[in-house]
Amino acid sequence: QLAGEPPAVADDVYGFGALLFELMAGEPLFHPEVTAQRIRDEVPALPATDGSGEALPKPLRNLMAASLQKAPRRRPAGMGPVRAVLEELRSDYPDSSRSDVITPVRRRASPAPATPSPPPKRGRSLPGAAVMTALAVLLAVALGVVFVLPRFVEEQRPVATPAPRPPPAEPGAPDPAASDALRAVADDVLGELLVLQDELRTVAVEQWGGADWAEAARLAETGDQNYRARNYPAAAGAYREAIRQMEQLKPRVEQEFADALAAGDAALAAGDQSGAEAAYALALAINGNSEAAISGLARAGRLGELLPIVAEAVALESQGQLDQAAQKYAEALAIDADWPAAREGLARTQGTLATARYEQQMAAGFAALADQRYSQARTAFNAALASAPGDRAAQQALGQVNAEERLARVVGLEADAQAAAEREDWDAAVAAYEQSLAIDPNLASARSGLAASQARVVLDTALNKALASTEELNDDRAWQRARAAADEARAQATRGPRLTQQIAALETALRVAKLEVPVQFQSDNATRVTVYKVGSLGSFTNRVVSLRPGRYTAVGSRDGYRDKRLSFLVAADGSTPPIVLQCEERI
């Protein structure tokens, strides 16, 4: 009304919501200062309780809020959904059929605008059951105002209405008893006609009945004329013909609903907003609970917002701006998730973008692979596989990366092993060969290299042990072990500086270990002296014994005295001092 636009069902839904608000709050919307600005912009605070303080049912408050939405497309699509909510509410109040519990709400006159005052006090309370009854009556009135009254004004008459009771018969007229019987028959047929008429009107027969409904209306009017003329048999006959005509309309209800729904779907698919809204409105008039019609009408109401966005997306796609096109298609789907052009366009642009990303990642992966940048190649091929899940080429490329990376790793490890062997670091060589074989156990070069390196580790260990214990070479078994290690070292085909040095040092130690060096022993001629690895020297005061260089242990023993043990080193240059050994501690 404020915008000067043509009237629509959504206007009546808003008016019904305003009436609900007044019934519950006890005062009209925006009372007492009603302005166009407040109507356009202000969202009213909905009452939480009725006049008695009883909490309003949440579905009722939700219905009130939905009916008062500023945007028409966000209100209920018609009175069908409103009626369904109110009937569900009424079912929660068993006493709602009582009319004697309705109590009026009185309001004081509103104060003048110049001297605003607090909202007027409410009068007597509205019990919950009374509210539900009042709402049911109110809904019937509203439905009549919205759907019946305009047609009544247009037609200037109902299709069939009960005729007034005729005046008393004059003298000489036909038998009143017979006339009453005929009228009773006509009344019965008329009652049946009115029930059928109401039943068809609930499915909006006026909108689709066409010539058949017009003929039924003509027959009903003929019956009314005969009834008013007191020609009750003719009236009953016309009424029966009207009933038969209406009965032929009943089987068409489901087909008319299906046709209206199909027409709405076709108009919606063609982008015909007005055609879709008209068809879905007819479908809802026939079946006010149809989810398909409610959804279709809502979708049709969004076509004005949806179609320009889809057109923009199509233009962007044709220009090759695929990212922007995909965003626009997604924006359109946020408005209508079932719009085929938007859904197909988004899938198409996303598929094209995914293909482009796939090709770019594959090219980058092969470039990195050629440069032996295996980590970057693997990342690129994995990204390509994410763009095209299950792609065989990307999977094979990843396998190639792994194979070439393993090969490069093996080659590097063998190079490390050979370098370690050249510097005679046999432990490092063994470790490198073992890592190489862990990657590929079938590498013959790695297996032979590992065996040779392990043998050199054993030899190196034996040489180092012999060189570290030259003092024990005076023992024949130790000398033989060292001799064997030196011989094995000499047998090596290749000798590095380390091995050459080890051989030379050990040969010198072996020669020195065979020398005989004189060593002087001194005792008290009472202590018996025994030298391990040599034998018993007996008792003496001074004695010289030839010994091989190295470490020895001598033990002195004497009856009644504690044994004495002495460890000494025989130097190869003869500088060993005299060994004094005698037992002096009595037991």
Side-chain angles (χ1 to χ4, degrees), residues 464-475:
N464 289 335
K465 183 177 180 181
L467 290 172
S469 57
T470 54
E471 296 178 354
E472 299 177 0
L473 292 179
N474 54 9
D475 182 81

Side-chain angles (χ1 to χ4, degrees), residues 332-398:
L333 287 174
I335 298 172
D336 187 344
D338 296 324
W339 192 250
R343 191 169 58 244
E344 294 165 5
L346 181 61
R348 186 174 54 252
T349 51
Q350 287 181 337
T352 305
L353 286 169
T355 300
R357 284 193 296 268
Y358 165 82
E359 293 174 351
Q360 292 170 357
Q361 294 296 343
M362 289 293 286
F366 282 118
L369 184 59
D371 294 339
Q372 296 185 346
R373 292 181 285 113
Y374 302 111
S375 177
Q376 293 91 326
R378 183 177 289 105
T379 299
F381 289 136
N382 277 323
L385 195 59
S387 298
D391 181 70
R392 185 173 182 81
Q395 292 174 340
Q396 290 176 342
L398 281 171

Side-chain angles (χ1 to χ4, degrees), residues 193-218:
L193 171 65
L194 292 176
V195 170
L196 181 56
Q197 183 182 73
D198 288 343
E199 181 182 348
L200 287 171
R201 279 177 170 162
T202 61
V203 292
V205 68
E206 296 95 335
Q207 299 183 44
W208 54 266
D212 292 338
W213 176 252
E215 175 64 14
R218 187 192 67 77

Side-chain angles (χ1 to χ4, degrees), residues 168-540:
E170 297 180 359
D175 183 6
S179 178
D180 289 345
L182 293 174
R183 186 178 65 186
V185 172
D187 286 343
D188 288 342
V189 178
L190 176 59
E192 183 181 350
L193 171 65
L194 292 176
V195 170
L196 181 56
Q197 183 182 73
D198 288 343
E199 181 182 348
L200 287 171
R201 279 177 170 162
T202 61
V203 292
V205 68
E206 296 95 335
Q207 299 183 44
W208 54 266
D212 292 338
W213 176 252
E215 175 64 14
R218 187 192 67 77
L219 291 169
E221 173 60 22
T222 300
D224 290 345
Q225 291 173 356
N226 288 319
Y227 193 102
R228 285 191 290 270
R230 303 182 185 179
N231 187 352
Y232 299 122
Y239 289 151
R240 288 191 182 96
E241 288 296 324
I243 289 174
R244 280 193 289 271
Q245 187 71 21
M246 292 182 187
E247 287 288 353
Q248 295 177 10
L249 290 169
K250 288 178 62 176
R252 290 173 49 187
V253 174
E254 290 187 6
Q255 186 59 48
E256 292 291 340
F257 170 75
D259 291 346
L261 202 59
D265 293 342
L268 181 68
D272 179 3
Q273 183 172 4
S274 60
E277 288 179 336
Y280 286 129
L282 174 58
L284 276 176
I286 298 173
N287 181 1
N289 296 320
S290 169
E291 292 293 337
I294 293 171
S295 172
L297 188 59
R299 292 181 64 197
R302 296 192 290 269
L303 279 177
E305 181 183 3
L306 172 72
L307 293 179
I309 296 175
V310 174
E312 184 179 358
V314 171
L316 289 169
E317 184 180 1
S318 66
Q319 297 165 10
Q321 302 181 44
L322 299 181
D323 283 323
Q324 297 89 328
Q327 291 175 2
K328 283 297 178 181
Y329 283 129
E331 186 178 339
L333 287 174
I335 298 172
D336 187 344
D338 296 324
W339 192 250
R343 191 169 58 244
E344 294 165 5
L346 181 61
R348 186 174 54 252
T349 51
Q350 287 181 337
T352 305
L353 286 169
T355 300
R357 284 193 296 268
Y358 165 82
E359 293 174 351
Q360 292 170 357
Q361 294 296 343
M362 289 293 286
F366 282 118
L369 184 59
D371 294 339
Q372 296 185 346
R373 292 181 285 113
Y374 302 111
S375 177
Q376 293 91 326
R378 183 177 289 105
T379 299
F381 289 136
N382 277 323
L385 195 59
S387 298
D391 181 70
R392 185 173 182 81
Q395 292 174 340
Q396 290 176 342
L398 281 171
Q400 185 178 349
V401 170
N402 294 333
E404 292 196 19
E405 188 176 30
R406 284 196 301 270
L407 178 60
R409 179 63 176 155
V410 166
V411 170
L413 286 170
E414 290 208 14
D416 292 344
Q418 291 172 5
E422 289 177 0
R423 65 175 181 269
E424 299 180 272
D425 185 354
W426 302 109
D427 288 327
V430 167
Y433 282 127
E434 286 177 342
Q435 292 179 47
S436 180
L437 289 170
I439 297 173
D440 187 352
N442 299 318
L443 290 171
S445 59
R447 286 202 304 270
S448 61
L450 176 62
S453 298
Q454 288 174 333
R456 292 300 298 269
V457 167
V458 174
L459 176 60
D460 188 70
T461 301
L463 292 173
N464 289 335
K465 183 177 180 181
L467 290 172
S469 57
T470 54
E471 296 178 354
E472 299 177 0
L473 292 179
N474 54 9
D475 182 81
D476 289 337
R477 287 177 298 180
W479 190 92
Q480 290 296 335
R481 286 195 298 269
R483 179 70 268 171
D487 292 342
E488 184 180 352
R490 285 180 174 279
Q492 296 300 314
T494 57
R495 302 179 194 173
R498 175 183 173 84
L499 181 59
T500 301
Q501 183 181 5
Q502 288 174 320
I503 293 173
L506 187 55
E507 289 291 355
T508 300
L510 289 170
R511 286 194 302 271
V512 170
K514 285 297 185 179
L515 297 177
E516 295 288 338
V517 180
V519 178
Q520 183 178 8
F521 286 84
Q522 296 178 356
S523 184
D524 56 4
N525 203 28
T527 299
R528 295 182 298 276
V529 177
T530 300
V531 178
Y532 291 165
K533 296 187 290 186
V534 176
S536 176
L537 301 183
S539 300
F540 53 85

Side-chain angles (χ1 to χ4, degrees), residues 8-21 29 63-69 71-72 74-83 142-143 146-147:
V9 173
D11 306 332
D12 298 309
V13 174
Y14 183 91
F16 187 77
L19 191 54
L20 280 181
F21 180 94
L29 278 170
L63 175 62
M64 202 183 312
S67 300
L68 294 175
Q69 287 289 330
R74 301 186 64 184
R75 301 174 197 154
M79 297 306 290
V82 173
R83 176 175 186 150
L143 290 171
V146 175
F147 297 110

